[in-house]
């Protein structure tokens, strides 16, 4: 069924990279994690403004997935109307630390990446 992990348990991932990409996969999740890293705690509307281009529906879905993966904490305050705040868990903070080198790589190679995408689109 799955691959035996280093701890001897049978899992659904073939390797650590497979597990990490499952958690942060897609365009929006890394952007959500960065926004929460920069701000600490954000309400939904603040988070939506911080992640340029994301729709309300997609942001809600991505937050639910990140919460299920225990990377994002959602806290509901018993007020009228209810106030909901999002923040990174300890697991989320360590994940952001792991994303730093990837972001640096992207910055260093952004021009080459854009050129390759444009060349591919023109072909």
């Amino acid at each position: 069924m799955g691959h035996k992990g280093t701890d001897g348990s049978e899992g659904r991932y073939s390797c650590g990279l497979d597990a990490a990409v499952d958690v942060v996969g897609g365009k929006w999740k890394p952007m959500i994690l960065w926004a929460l890293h920069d701000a600490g705690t954000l309400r939904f509307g603040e988070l939506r403004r911080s992640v340029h281009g994301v729709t309300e529906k997609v942001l809600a879905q991505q937050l639910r997935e990140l919460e299920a993966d225990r990377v994002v904490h959602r806290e509901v305050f018993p007020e009228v109307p209810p106030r909901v705040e999002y923040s990174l868990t300890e697991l989320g903070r360590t994940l952001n630390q792991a994303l730093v080198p990837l972001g640096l790589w992207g910055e260093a190679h952004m021009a080459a990446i854009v050129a390759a995408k444009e060349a591919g689109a023109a072909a």
Side-chain angles (χ1 to χ4, degrees), residues 31-95:
M31 307 305 288
I32 293 166
L33 294 173
W34 274 129
L36 290 172
H37 169 79
D38 288 343
T41 300
L42 290 172
R43 294 173 72 175
F44 187 87
E46 296 169 327
L47 193 49
R48 184 164 180 223
R49 286 187 293 278
S50 297
V51 180
H52 302 288
V54 70
T55 65
E56 190 171 315
K57 177 183 176 182
V58 170
L59 179 59
Q61 174 201 359
Q62 300 290 280
L63 284 168
R64 279 192 301 273
E65 291 176 14
L66 289 167
E67 186 181 2
D69 287 332
R70 298 186 176 140
V71 178
V72 168
H73 173 71
R74 178 178 184 263
E75 186 164 356
V76 180
F77 294 88
E79 301 172 357
V80 178
R83 177 171 48 111
V84 179
E85 293 182 344
Y86 297 90
S87 60
L88 293 175
T89 63
E90 182 58 33
L91 187 63
R93 286 189 286 279
T94 63
L95 179 56

Side-chain angles (χ1 to χ4, degrees), residues 11-30 32-33 61-71 91 95 99 102:
R12 64 185 276 192
Y13 301 111
S14 61
C15 65
L17 186 59
D18 188 16
V21 169
D22 185 38
V23 174
V24 297
K27 176 178 181 176
W28 301 113
K29 287 181 181 178
I32 293 166
L33 294 173
Q61 174 201 359
Q62 300 290 280
L63 284 168
R64 279 192 301 273
E65 291 176 14
L66 289 167
E67 186 181 2
D69 287 332
R70 298 186 176 140
V71 178
L91 187 63
L95 179 56
L99 291 174
L102 185 62

